[in-house]
Amino acid sequence: MQVSRNRYFEDEVSKEKFNRFMLLRLISYAKDYKGTYILVIIMLIGTSILSLIPAAINTFIIDKVLPSEGIVPDNMLRNAIILLSIWFALSVGSVVSGYISSVVSLRLGNEIVCKLRKDLFDKLMELSFNYYDSRPVGKILVRVTNYTDELADFFVNDMVRVVQNVFIVLATFVCICVIEIRIAIVAVAVSIPLAIIMWILSKLLHDRNVRERNKYSNRTAFIVEDINGLEVINAFNREELNSEIFEELSDKYRKEFMKATRIRELFFPMAHGVVNGIGTIAIYMAALLIISHNWGEALTLGAVVMVATYMNVFSGAINTICQRLQTITNITSNVERIFEVIDTESEIVEANNAVELENVEGKITYEDVTFSYIKGTKVLENVNLTVEPGQMIALVGPTGAGKSTIVNLLSRFYDVDSGAIKIDGVDIRNISFSSLRKNVGVMMQDTFLFAGTIMDNIRFSRPDATDEECIEAAKTVHAHEFIMNKPEGYNTKISGQGMELSGGEKQLISFARLILSDPKIIILDEATSNIDTETEQLIQQMFTTVLKNRTSFVIAHRLSTIKNADRILYIDEKNILEDGSHEELEKVKGKYYKLLHNAG
Ligand code: ADP
């Protein structure tokens, strides 16, 4: 796959535009809560029906109960009291059912969004490194946080309110038809242009929202990058320049936000203006014309009041639908981006019949391995290598030659383009992820520590390890001494990334973390580069014991580490150019020899 290496100033392009299938898919997240949703909708519809009844009571009072031609009916007081009591009971009922349905839908909405966010997060954990190589972290972050949060309202309000109000529109329309078909026709005629306007606005708004989201995620990408690179920014005095870039990105976002807002805010006035304003006037005009011209059957006063009341409810419901459609349109661009992540196929997938490795010996073979990060640019070409169990292999060669790539392929961080890598004769593509990761332990130069105590960080590789086991691992890698010198020893708290520790201390903690997981194959990628010479000597002694029964790959610059290896591989020109022990390669007087002697 061609990787698009997107940056903070480049807008992302959606793979697929929002469509009704995406909407249905979004709604399908609510399917486990179908029963409760139906209940909520029934309650809301019940509330709506209840709210329609007072108008009928009104009509009844006007036409039948109120005295006509000055004669007060004997039963007026009794009827009025009964009707007013019903009215009161209905009002209380509608408040109670409205409250219950709101609370229930709020809970549902949040549960569903949690489910969606979990799917998104799980996918992010599963995606291969290539996905992360292709875009800045900030652009991924906004999808899991802001974009998903903004969907909550869809499940809490939009979905149920649209259903409820569509029902109200239909119900009031039927009522108006029953009472006065002539006025109903006017109501439909007024609604058609409104629907057309709304449709055009929703299209425009979607495009505007996509642009606004892009600028938003560009700005977030820049913020995340800046926080991560704060030290470099300070070191190179880039604060002012970066602040200007930030201002520019914020300004671009603000402009797109305003463009989207102008269209967004048209939705409601349009609905309100067309239906409530023009619509109501049109209906009264129609009623007046019918009455004044004596067209067809005469209108009673009660019917006019009732139609006007229903027309109000009708226009209120259309207003609500428009408002909800506006917020639904706002989230369509979020939905595109969220489903895009969920639908991304991980390039590294576990085989269906993946095996668990038992009693690993640690024999490793690379058979004709060719690999490229970006299509067309080979980093390794036809690499062949056999490593016997327990051997320690040092990889040397110029920067960018492919040393890390060779070892990264063994952990299946990336898959080979062609050829195969095998552990004890089993292709790593046929080994389960858990078994592969359990048996191949990696430690990189840029060690990552999590916020928590030193003990938490060591235990990270084996959550069930006891304190004693963690301390034992720390002792093995000679980290115990420095940890005990910290004010709170193993309980010393470290912030995210371990900013308060020296580079060497961080490496020792991650080394302990690695040793605790007890992998049969160990990869140390410049893992001891920050460790002082004294500790390095201790680690050299430890290598002989810890690495003794394990196959290991070490990428290091220190001659002491390299010399310790059983075999040294000189990597360059996309392949292994020299392979032998330190003494053997010294004798050959080839590239390795030159590297050592040029380096002094
Ligand atoms: P070494 O470890 O020998 O310094 P690497 O294996 O890290 O070299 O890199 C080999 C080549 O692959 C380099 O040209 C490097 O720029 C490129 N490379 C490494 N990682 C990536 C990546 N994630 N995406 C694209 N190219 C990469």
Side-chain angles (χ1 to χ4, degrees):
M1 189 194 83
Q2 178 65 50
V3 179
S4 75
R5 292 188 186 239
N6 178 279
R7 290 196 56 198
Y8 66 78
F9 48 80
E10 289 168 274
D11 291 346
E12 291 181 281
V13 182
S14 297
K15 281 198 189 128
E16 200 185 346
K17 262 195 140 191
F18 187 84
N19 51 43
R20 68 196 148 94
F21 298 109
M22 274 191 207
L23 181 66
L24 290 177
R25 190 170 164 194
L26 187 66
I27 293 171
S28 76
Y29 269 84
K31 73 173 185 293
D32 289 348
Y33 305 91
K34 215 166 38 199
T36 325
Y37 261 114
I38 290 173
L39 197 74
V40 168
I41 289 171
I42 289 174
M43 284 178 87
L44 286 173
I45 288 176
T47 313
S48 313
I49 293 172
L50 293 182
S51 67
L52 293 180
I53 294 175
I57 296 177
N58 241 339
T59 309
F60 184 73
I61 289 176
I62 293 169
D63 284 350
K64 303 275 192 288
V65 179
L66 285 181
S68 55
E69 291 165 18
I71 303 160
V72 180
D74 297 339
N75 56 358
M76 182 197 87
L77 196 60
R78 189 170 49 90
N79 285 348
I81 289 173
I82 293 171
L83 287 172
L84 288 172
S85 309
I86 295 173
W87 198 332
F88 178 73
L90 292 177
S91 306
V92 173
S94 83
V95 169
V96 172
S97 71
Y99 173 76
I100 296 174
S101 52
S102 292
V103 171
V104 173
S105 56
L106 264 167
R107 183 175 62 82
L108 283 188
N110 284 303
E111 279 180 23
I112 294 167
V113 167
C114 281
K115 214 166 109 193
L116 182 67
R117 200 196 315 276
K118 167 103 176 35
D119 280 357
L120 191 61
F121 185 78
D122 288 350
K123 175 56 92 172
L124 287 176
M125 292 295 101
E126 177 198 313
L127 285 173
S128 51
F129 282 17
N130 224 337
Y131 182 79
Y132 293 93
D133 290 344
S134 67
R135 70 204 75 218
V137 179
K139 295 197 180 188
I140 299 170
L141 187 72
V142 286
R143 298 180 190 209
V144 195
T145 52
N146 309 52
Y147 291 3
T148 325
D149 281 338
E150 286 167 13
L151 292 192
D153 210 39
F154 172 79
F155 292 106
V156 173
N157 278 316
D158 300 337
M159 212 165 74
V160 282
R161 296 285 168 195
V162 167
V163 175
Q164 178 201 14
N165 284 285
V166 165
F167 177 84
I168 296 178
V169 166
L170 294 177
T172 44
F173 184 67
V174 169
C175 289
I176 297 171
C177 284
V178 169
I179 306 161
E180 201 27 83
I181 186 81
R182 293 165 292 186
I183 294 181
I185 293 167
V186 178
V188 172
V190 173
S191 304
I192 291 171
L194 174 79
I196 297 171
I197 294 169
M198 287 300 146
W199 186 77
I200 297 170
L201 282 180
S202 75
K203 293 276 161 213
L204 284 174
L205 188 54
H206 174 77
D207 292 344
R208 282 288 159 207
N209 275 329
V210 170
R211 287 183 214 195
E212 183 204 314
R213 298 283 89 180
N214 275 334
K215 301 300 174 212
Y216 182 85
S217 89
N218 289 355
R219 191 182 62 178
T220 315
F222 186 74
I223 296 171
V224 173
E225 198 172 285
D226 260 36
I227 292 174
N228 283 332
L230 204 60
E231 282 181 18
V232 184
I233 291 169
N234 288 341
F236 289 100
N237 222 359
R238 286 264 311 201
E239 293 92 334
E240 214 167 293
L241 188 57
N242 277 30
S243 166
E244 277 167 25
I245 297 175
F246 178 73
E247 211 177 330
E248 195 186 319
L249 289 171
S250 292
D251 201 47
K252 280 187 181 159
Y253 168 66
R254 188 188 54 78
K255 281 186 183 141
E256 287 302 337
F257 173 81
M258 280 319 298
K259 282 183 192 165
T261 301
R262 274 181 218 120
I263 298 177
R264 202 178 287 146
E265 295 312 312
L266 264 181
F267 251 84
F268 193 67
M270 278 287 177
H272 198 75
V274 177
V275 179
N276 234 3
I278 307 172
T280 314
I281 293 169
I283 280 154
Y284 276 111
M285 292 294 288
L288 273 176
L289 285 173
I290 292 168
I291 294 167
S292 59
H293 288 77
N294 281 331
W295 285 340
E297 221 176 286
L299 278 173
T300 67
L301 182 61
V304 174
V305 172
M306 192 162 165
V307 168
T309 314
Y310 284 159
M311 198 52 213
N312 235 332
V313 179
F314 178 84
S315 66
I318 296 239
N319 278 347
T320 312
I321 293 172
C322 290
Q323 260 181 329
R324 294 295 148 196
L325 286 182
Q326 175 194 322
T327 54
I328 291 175
T329 313
N330 286 347
I331 54 134
T332 51
S333 43
N334 296 8
V335 177
E336 277 175 12
R337 294 285 152 85
I338 290 170
F339 284 145
E340 187 185 282
V341 177
I342 295 179
D343 291 343
T344 307
E345 295 272 333
S346 178
E347 291 183 19
I348 314 287
V349 283
E350 195 172 65
N352 283 338
N353 44 3
V355 294
E356 300 288 317
L357 290 178
E358 305 273 347
N359 304 323
V360 175
E361 300 234 320
K363 179 170 175 163
I364 295 172
T365 41
Y366 283 64
E367 295 172 3
D368 256 334
V369 168
T370 297
F371 173 74
S372 44
Y373 289 100
I374 299 170
K375 213 174 173 184
T377 315
K378 285 181 190 162
V379 176
L380 299 174
E381 197 166 7
N382 300 346
V383 172
N384 284 292
L385 171 70
T386 302
V387 178
E388 295 303 329
Q391 278 192 334
M392 176 180 171
I393 307 291
L395 292 99
V396 298
T399 305
K403 303 181 290 294
S404 302
T405 307
I406 291 187
V407 292
N408 281 344
L409 290 179
L410 182 57
S411 305
R412 257 197 108 190
F413 291 151
Y414 300 87
D415 264 346
V416 297
D417 295 352
S418 62
I421 300 175
K422 295 179 178 170
I423 296 177
D424 292 350
V426 184
D427 191 321
I428 56 170
R429 284 169 294 200
N430 295 328
I431 300 173
S432 76
F433 282 146
S434 62
S435 183
L436 185 67
R437 302 278 142 83
K438 184 168 161 277
N439 285 291
V440 182
V442 191
M443 189 180 147
M444 303 188 187
Q445 183 180 18
D446 301 327
T447 49
F448 189 92
L449 297 182
F450 296 90
T453 63
I454 292 181
M455 186 67 95
D456 294 338
N457 271 284
I458 298 177
R459 192 178 280 124
F460 190 82
S461 64
R462 238 186 73 205
D464 60 344
T466 62
D467 283 1
E468 290 68 34
E469 286 171 317
C470 295
I471 294 169
E472 198 46 48
K475 282 184 178 163
T476 313
V477 301
H478 300 283
H480 183 70
E481 296 72 22
F482 99 78
I483 295 173
M484 289 314 286
N485 282 336
K486 295 272 168 206
E488 291 181 75
Y490 283 86
N491 291 326
T492 304
K493 288 193 181 64
I494 44 180
S495 61
Q497 300 187 35
M499 296 284 266
E500 53 282 90
L501 299 173
S502 76
E505 287 173 339
K506 281 201 272 182
Q507 286 189 330
L508 287 178
I509 293 175
S510 19
F511 210 2
R513 175 170 72 186
L514 176 70
I515 295 302
L516 182 70
S517 69
D518 195 23
K520 196 70 194 168
I521 299 154
I522 286 188
I523 296 168
L524 303 175
D525 190 348
E526 314 249 7
T528 52
S529 56
N530 291 325
I531 290 166
D532 59 85
T533 327
E534 205 178 309
T535 319
E536 164 83 5
Q537 274 169 7
L538 293 171
I539 287 187
Q540 289 305 331
Q541 294 161 19
M542 182 269 299
F543 270 1
T544 48
T545 49
V546 172
L547 302 186
K548 203 165 129 215
N549 293 318
R550 307 171 205 257
T551 311
S552 56
F553 291 84
V554 181
I555 300 175
H557 291 301
R558 291 189 200 199
L559 187 57
S560 51
T561 314
I562 299 168
K563 269 164 101 178
N564 251 336
D566 298 305
R567 279 162 68 189
I568 297 160
L569 307 181
Y570 187 93
I571 315 292
D572 201 6
E573 298 166 25
K574 304 175 193 161
N575 218 315
I576 302 167
L577 298 188
E578 291 174 19
D579 178 354
S581 68
H582 171 72
E583 291 72 26
E584 284 166 355
L585 294 190
E586 276 267 77
K587 273 191 215 139
V588 173
K589 290 205 171 15
K591 298 207 175 243
Y592 174 71
Y593 179 89
K594 268 198 205 136
L595 179 85
L596 285 194
H597 295 278
N598 282 350

